[in-house]
Amino acid sequence: MKAVKKIAIVGGTGYTGVELLRLLARHPDVEVCAITSRSEAGRQVSEIYPSLRGEFDLAFSEPTNDVLGAADLVFFATPNGVAMKQAQALLEAGAKVIDLAADFRFDDVDEWSKWYGMEHACADLMREATYGLPEVNKAAVQEARLVANPGCYPTAVQIGLLPLLEKGMIDTQHIIADCKSGVSGAGRGAAVGSLLCEAGDSFKAYGVPGHRHLPEIKERLSVAAGETVGLTFVPHLTPMIRGIHATIYAQVDAGFDLQTAQAAFEARYADQPFVDVMPLGSHPETRSVRGSNICRVALHQPQGENTLVILSAIDNLVKGAAGQAVHNMNLMLGLQETAGLDIMPLSP
Amino acid sequence: MKAVKKIAIVGGTGYTGVELLRLLARHPDVEVCAITSRSEAGRQVSEIYPSLRGEFDLAFSEPTNDVLGAADLVFFATPNGVAMKQAQALLEAGAKVIDLAADFRFDDVDEWSKWYGMEHACADLMREATYGLPEVNKAAVQEARLVANPGCYPTAVQIGLLPLLEKGMIDTQHIIADCKSGVSGAGRGAAVGSLLCEAGDSFKAYGVPGHRHLPEIKERLSVAAGETVGLTFVPHLTPMIRGIHATIYAQVDAGFDLQTAQAAFEARYADQPFVDVMPLGSHPETRSVRGSNICRVALHQPQGENTLVILSAIDNLVKGAAGQAVHNMNLMLGLQETAGLDIMPLSP
Amino acid sequence: MKAVKKIAIVGGTGYTGVELLRLLARHPDVEVCAITSRSEAGRQVSEIYPSLRGEFDLAFSEPTNDVLGAADLVFFATPNGVAMKQAQALLEAGAKVIDLAADFRFDDVDEWSKWYGMEHACADLMREATYGLPEVNKAAVQEARLVANPGCYPTAVQIGLLPLLEKGMIDTQHIIADCKSGVSGAGRGAAVGSLLCEAGDSFKAYGVPGHRHLPEIKERLSVAAGETVGLTFVPHLTPMIRGIHATIYAQVDAGFDLQTAQAAFEARYADQPFVDVMPLGSHPETRSVRGSNICRVALHQPQGENTLVILSAIDNLVKGAAGQAVHNMNLMLGLQETAGLDIMPLSP
Amino acid sequence: MKAVKKIAIVGGTGYTGVELLRLLARHPDVEVCAITSRSEAGRQVSEIYPSLRGEFDLAFSEPTNDVLGAADLVFFATPNGVAMKQAQALLEAGAKVIDLAADFRFDDVDEWSKWYGMEHACADLMREATYGLPEVNKAAVQEARLVANPGCYPTAVQIGLLPLLEKGMIDTQHIIADCKSGVSGAGRGAAVGSLLCEAGDSFKAYGVPGHRHLPEIKERLSVAAGETVGLTFVPHLTPMIRGIHATIYAQVDAGFDLQTAQAAFEARYADQPFVDVMPLGSHPETRSVRGSNICRVALHQPQGENTLVILSAIDNLVKGAAGQAVHNMNLMLGLQETAGLDIMPLSP
């Protein structure tokens, strides 16, 4: 009989925190031993999240190294800049660490500081950390003690482009990623822009001059392409709760064959349990992945011309955050890859 | 090793049909052997419901007695008036039957004809059928071969009133049930009133002169009370997908004690796995049960006066339809009561 | 030629503030000369509200008595407790005042303090203030220099009950007002509960133990009835932006005649430009009044029994706040009653 | 005193029909003398559209040439293929005609037949018709007796590109228009895909292989550019009622100057009352134009690289349909250009 692994969550009051709790509540091989929140310390989890009533007999606690270091694995579901201050101590105590924020996503510390507006607290760990997109780095994640969980937009965009870049099938210099996110991507913080009356029944672009996910996407696509890619990334806010839809445009030359590209997608993701390559001409809806860890992708070449259109849909809180983190956890702890993640999408 | 039970679904293109598929896809003890739809016969289930891609290698078929009668249990997820025409033949073939529509919910055939506007095709079976609210009829359901799955509004209202009526704690003649439903309650039929642009960002009452769930609620409450109750039932359409919230008003006299009522609720539902009696003063949100089979109830006595307020929230497609049907199936087939239904609510 | 009146708005960054600006932008007889906000002083109005671009060449300013006192009329679109501190000075300077918050809505200062949790700063003015429901107090408003604009729930409920109470047609001791509000009723403050991901696609009751609008409604209904009424008031949060729907239940005796009641409503509101008594059996939708100052009401007597159901729908930001305030302004300044308010509802 | 013009609407039960009624109800110079609907003939307009109660004492009638020909101007708010069958007769009777559908939008009859799947009933009129985008064809519209009202997507995209194409500032061969529409764009027809439970809380692309607005956009942009443009057009369905947001990508060369482009936009639209060129770096929201005839546009050049991003937002039912039609009507009838269209956006 396998021993149950002990899991701790730092910063459990946000949407990625509660989503981790939802997933781990039904995970067969792990137990949540601690969930921390400075502001809510002492309160029962189910008071803040009635959807968890009866599932966890657990109160929020202070994020001390003692408590956290005793876990087999610690998730940081915290704002940017938190995990980098505590990760070293926890690793030394023997816990593995997954950061769902951006602290370890970059290779370049200076680039990170420029986009995140603060000094990085541990450049060494940033270099050590593994970028946890299992569709790219599965083997490395299995060996890692520190994993940077990818951003939501970067996940959707990379899965839509990896086969093309790896095979050199598109122009790498004129990639456009027009991305649309549900409002939960902005987190559970009390911000005017995320109010139902501000974000509801309306649509807008934001961060067009430069969004923090731009350098992350660009760096990872460049690794896949073997050269620095040219990328325009425009995020939009959509009046829905969950979901990201990426509409990706790439230029192809006369020799491009759509069937070959489709075959490349199917081969590339054949062994990836959470990527669904849809038939040519499909239009994935975000609700078809709601609550699940699946990414659905579909290819189009409108009018057979030289612009390829790739559609990619995920649930930003699952494949774009907590679900991918659990996937990484499974890999890091030697559990079955899909454990706890065989969840049916909720539709309608 | 237990044999896997074979399940058939008649009328699988509506919301209750796809919801049955979502639940049964992860049920450990059953297998869906047939799903029928006259209009979609021959098409793969996953074409119509992309959320089910990879889950069912199943095409819609014609609802013949041969195919259906071979199942251990047949769900009718059809409009009113369909199950009553085919149930007899399937029962004779040895299948058990659960109707998610209204064909077998009443005891009185004439009353049924009045509200549903058609002759009933098999009065005998209506009398035989068991009303499948497990919180009332668990033992009878376990023995039944034909179960009438309760309506969504009736489920929410009954759970909010049963302990009070059974104990004689309220005035039975002045009950008001002010109920609010998400739009999925109207089904997947192409009706103007259910369009996003008609039902979205708006709120209205409907059917105030008389809704078909009124006689069902009244009959069942009267059984619980041991006398004919007086009930005003007003349904409303809320701009959301899933969820029913019942706000129930009952008159109490000077001897009423709120703590005693709370204790009665807790005792009444202590062994019911899908009813959550919340602490006094709670306000259940429909999203706290989204996608799950749970009913959350809470009691209030505003300003200590003589009007008791009971709040009851369910997911209309789960506890109000497909989930309750699976619960009944488990009971009828001798499976574990909660099998396939230990689903975490999706929140946010 | 009539002189244009000068209008000032205190606290213009909230929803009632911007709604006043929307209405006054097209008002033929007034000009907004100042709009104040401590937090946004110096910023252009159109920066915060792009929907007003090109309409107002106006920056937020500090709410000094000098600026405000020079106006013909000052609106307070501020939180509770602000207007009561500044109203006296402005009245002395010759400006008329309308408070859209609750500072002057009660007659009883102690009752106010109990519900609003603070000492009242000017009890004298509370006694002087006129309660600005034009359907009740039109003549008094025309003479008033200080008007308390009614709450949104109180407006919808009063219009639904006034004819019945004034004519003594219902039992005054068992009134139930089950009310549903869009999220804009909670204001533009950054509160977690008003986030799209918290309030969206969900429904809940709130404040069941006691909401601040309860004493306001109760006091005004009691005035209409000529005796203290018994009222249960339950507000609910609906996932939409604007709109209040009140479902009101009243007990009637055997002598009650529905046609007579309908006639009483039609007569009572015949000269009220903003009340639409719909035909018997109608179901008003909130979207049918979206953006307009209209209240639509409809009567039902389900199954002819002794519970009367009154449905009342308003736009909470217009008839429930800014529109009613402009109506009061028109009356106080001797303008045409409907000036600036002949706005078509936006539907869909 | 100017005589009031008589206006008829054919096909008044859809969203563009009721939107025309909303706008014309407050238009100072016109009167709606007839509104037709075969399916609803005889019913009062306000029965179907309660938002219009008290505004029109008008019943739906049959669309006979007698009734319609007596009008000064007839709007066709009908499906594609209707106006082309009746326009000739009405023009001969002396009425002017505006078709809000696609019957007269193309120059090329064969192209039209290919995209709309039917023979064209009057090729001559197609050639005569003026394309009613006032920002391009104001003078021609003033002289026209038959105007083709532009599609909603084409309106948003053209306004975002005209200054650039006319001045030759962008690469004409690699234009991408990623467009997002509210669900009202699909009309009021009872279609499963437009149900709240299908289109709500979800996002998807549709028609990627080829949407009917593609040839319309391409033809008009080519006219502006003076050469055939290369265009990829991807429409998306957004879970909101009204609004179109176009995110347009164009390639620019090293000599491109963003300030010059901004100045070109400001100059191009200086005399156009319904185009708002926002400051550089702005992000227009669809709600900032909700219910109004305004198009807001903003320019971005992310990271100063060679992809220009233009954001364009309209209300699809107003500037994208009924509002633009009224604008054209004003021009055709010699009325003030903005008459009836000075409507404040409804926000929130």
Side-chain angles (χ1 to χ4, degrees), chain D residues 29-331:
Chain D
D29 307 316
V30 308
E31 180 186 22
V32 178
C33 61
I35 176 160
T36 79
S37 162
R38 287 211 154 84
S39 60
E40 304 289 350
R43 287 184 70 186
Q44 284 290 311
V45 165
S46 60
E47 263 183 73
I48 296 187
Y49 290 114
S51 62
L52 301 174
R53 279 176 57 82
E55 295 294 334
F56 291 98
D57 184 18
L58 204 64
F60 289 105
S61 57
E62 294 282 343
T64 64
N65 288 345
D66 278 5
V67 168
L68 299 174
D72 291 297
L73 187 142
V74 178
F75 289 107
F76 279 87
T78 42
N80 300 312
V82 173
M84 67 183 182
K85 293 183 185 144
Q86 200 168 9
Q88 184 70 52
L90 301 181
L91 293 171
E92 284 168 10
K96 297 183 177 182
V97 171
I98 298 177
D99 179 28
L100 283 81
D103 291 11
F104 303 106
R105 287 180 191 159
F106 286 26
D107 286 337
D108 183 333
V109 172
D110 293 337
E111 185 77 1
W112 189 89
S113 292
K114 179 182 134 195
W115 285 92
Y116 287 90
M118 50 183 133
E119 287 300 298
H120 201 285
C122 57
D124 286 357
L125 282 183
M126 184 180 255
R127 275 183 288 272
E128 177 191 328
T130 299
Y131 186 75
L133 190 67
E135 287 76 11
V136 174
N137 284 338
K138 196 169 294 180
V141 170
Q142 284 168 328
E143 303 303 316
R145 57 174 195 158
L146 172 60
V147 162
N149 212 55
C152 48
Y153 288 125
T155 295
V157 175
Q158 286 177 76
I159 291 177
L161 283 169
L162 284 173
L164 299 165
L165 291 172
E166 291 166 356
K167 295 267 183 192
M169 300 177 82
I170 58 171
D171 173 355
T172 60
Q173 297 311 303
H174 297 91
I175 298 170
I176 290 171
D178 187 291
C179 295
K180 300 87 175 174
S181 175
V183 182
S184 63
R188 194 165 168 269
V192 169
S194 303
L195 296 177
L196 185 141
C197 298
E198 299 288 310
D201 208 39
S202 189
F203 189 91
K204 67 169 180 181
Y206 67 100
V208 182
H211 182 282
R212 286 169 171 181
H213 285 178
L214 170 67
E216 179 183 344
I217 303 173
K218 204 165 165 176
E219 181 175 306
R220 300 300 159 179
L221 294 184
S222 297
V223 169
E227 64 177 319
T228 300
V229 303
L231 171 71
T232 301
F233 166 57
V234 175
H236 300 78
L237 193 64
T238 305
M240 61 185 185
I241 296 175
R242 291 163 177 255
I244 279 183
H245 185 286
T247 311
I248 307 169
Y249 301 89
Q251 300 303 308
V252 294
D253 62 24
F256 177 83
D257 178 68
L258 186 60
Q259 303 289 346
T260 306
Q262 174 76 9
F265 267 78
E266 291 173 2
R268 175 64 176 80
Y269 294 122
D271 296 331
Q272 303 301 337
F274 299 116
V275 178
D276 173 28
V277 180
M278 299 181 78
L280 269 177
S282 298
H283 298 90
E285 304 174 70
T286 61
R287 66 179 186 138
S288 78
V289 298
R290 186 191 290 138
S292 87
N293 200 45
I294 300 165
C295 176
R296 298 198 203 276
V297 288
L299 296 181
H300 292 261
Q301 189 180 10
Q303 297 93 52
E305 297 196 354
N306 59 358
T307 301
L308 186 66
V309 178
I310 308 109
L311 310 176
S312 171
I314 62 170
D315 183 321
N316 58 306
L317 295 181
V318 191
K319 181 62 177 167
Q324 189 142 270
V326 170
H327 190 179
N328 283 318
M329 176 196 80
N330 288 342
L331 296 169

Side-chain angles (χ1 to χ4, degrees), chain A residues 199-223:
Chain A
D201 207 41
S202 189
F203 189 91
K204 68 168 180 180
Y206 67 100
V208 182
H211 182 282
R212 287 168 171 182
H213 284 178
L214 171 68
E216 179 184 343
I217 303 173
K218 204 165 166 176
E219 180 175 307
R220 300 299 160 177
L221 295 183
S222 298
V223 169

Side-chain angles (χ1 to χ4, degrees), chain B residues 120-135:
Chain B
H120 200 285
C122 55
D124 285 356
L125 283 182
M126 184 180 255
R127 276 184 287 271
E128 177 192 328
T130 299
Y131 186 75
L133 191 68
E135 287 76 12

Side-chain angles (χ1 to χ4, degrees), chain B residues 192-220:
Chain B
V192 169
S194 303
L195 296 176
L196 185 141
C197 298
E198 299 288 310
D201 207 41
S202 189
F203 189 91
K204 68 169 179 181
Y206 68 99
V208 182
H211 183 282
R212 286 168 171 182
H213 284 178
L214 171 67
E216 179 184 343
I217 303 174
K218 205 164 164 175
E219 180 175 307
R220 300 300 160 179

Side-chain angles (χ1 to χ4, degrees), chain C residues 15 22 25-26 50-53 55 241-242 276-279 288 290-291 296 317 342 344-348, chain D residues 15 22 25-26 50-53 55 241-242 276-279 288 290-291 296 317 342 344-348:
Chain C
Y15 289 139
R22 178 178 76 94
R26 290 290 177 273
S51 62
L52 301 174
R53 280 176 55 85
E55 296 294 336
I241 296 176
R242 290 164 177 255
D276 173 28
V277 180
M278 299 181 78
S288 78
R290 187 190 290 137
R296 299 198 203 275
L317 295 182
D342 54 344
M344 294 295 295
L346 190 71
S347 173
Chain D
Y15 289 139
R22 180 179 74 96
R26 291 289 177 274
S51 62
L52 301 174
R53 279 176 57 82
E55 295 294 334
I241 296 175
R242 291 163 177 255
D276 173 28
V277 180
M278 299 181 78
S288 78
R290 186 191 290 138
R296 298 198 203 276
L317 295 181
D342 55 341
M344 294 295 295
L346 190 71
S347 173

